[in-house]
Amino acid sequence: MEAVEAELAWYREREPGFHADLVVDTDIGSMMMVSHGTFYVDGNIRLPRARIQPLVQHEIGTHVVTRHNGAAQPLRQLEVGLAHYDALQEGLGVLAEYLAGYLPGNRLRVLAARVLAVHLALEGEGVPGIFDCLHNEHGLPTDEAFDIAVRAMRGGGLTKDAVYLRGLRDLLDHLAAGEPLEPLLRGKFALSHHTVLDALADEGWVVPPRLLPRYVQHPDHARRLARCRDGDVTAFFQGEPEP
């Protein structure tokens, strides 16, 4: 919790108008999440120390920061999001974990398993069938397979889980083409919107991001971002935490 409060304070020091409510809840169904600018943390959260900052950067450095930047746009819809913005948001979130120093290979495996779980749910499988596929066919540990299976059926089917990996893949392709990262932080929008937003920027309807994520100030940021431009999502992980 201290890491979250310190992160929010860091942004407030740099941008007086920055605001995000912090809610601790033991019944949110996720370790951390952002909804309508409010940052929720599971009151029972337990994380390895090396994963705290990456997940904080995913939630605050991506979802909260882009909402703040969107609120500063003349085109105010960028605060709440243009159509189909989820994939880029989650791609940026996973990218933030890497740029913050530790995106383990198992994280990618979980994201891939969620895609499969959503597919099975849409095919009519229930929790037992999804669990059986993930655990017995693909070798996921019992607890991970069960959590992913239950998550896939939450609220009748959490199909949003399918966009994380696709969003990351498309984002890495975008960066591999030599495109800059910072314009993608102007608000919440789909990757396909970026050329239109560039044109709107020329007309004054879109402005540069007011805030950039904290991870861009890390001494190794340029080197880490350069590695992201390789574009291979299957190799996009870190074997050990980077200081």
Side-chain angles (χ1 to χ4, degrees), residues 5-88:
E5 292 173 345
E7 192 71 14
L8 293 173
W10 187 89
Y11 285 107
R12 292 189 192 105
E13 289 175 2
R14 284 149 184 81
E15 179 70 31
F18 181 84
H19 175 77
D21 292 322
L22 174 61
V23 175
V24 179
D25 191 337
T26 58
D27 191 33
I28 62 173
S30 182
M31 291 186 294
M32 301 179 185
M33 62 176 288
V34 174
S35 179
H36 303 292
T38 298
F39 184 51
Y40 294 88
V41 180
D42 185 346
N44 297 319
I45 191 171
R46 296 292 183 272
L47 283 172
R49 181 176 296 275
R51 286 290 291 156
I52 294 174
Q53 268 303 315
L55 290 176
V56 167
Q57 294 306 319
H58 180 132
E59 300 297 341
I60 298 178
T62 299
H63 301 320
V64 177
V65 166
T66 53
R67 181 181 175 88
H68 176 82
N69 289 336
Q73 296 289 349
L75 183 61
R76 289 294 301 275
Q77 186 65 24
L78 290 169
E79 177 184 3
V80 295
L82 302 184
H84 311 300
Y85 73 87
D86 281 327
L88 178 56

Side-chain angles (χ1 to χ4, degrees), residues 73 75-78 81-82 85 88 183-208:
Q73 296 289 349
L75 183 61
R76 289 294 301 275
Q77 186 65 24
L78 290 169
L82 302 184
Y85 73 87
L88 178 56
L184 302 180
L185 302 169
R186 293 177 288 192
K188 297 179 183 291
F189 51 89
L191 192 58
S192 60
H193 296 144
H194 83 95
T195 53
V196 174
L197 293 177
D198 287 345
L200 289 173
D202 293 338
E203 301 297 327
W205 285 99
V206 176
V207 298

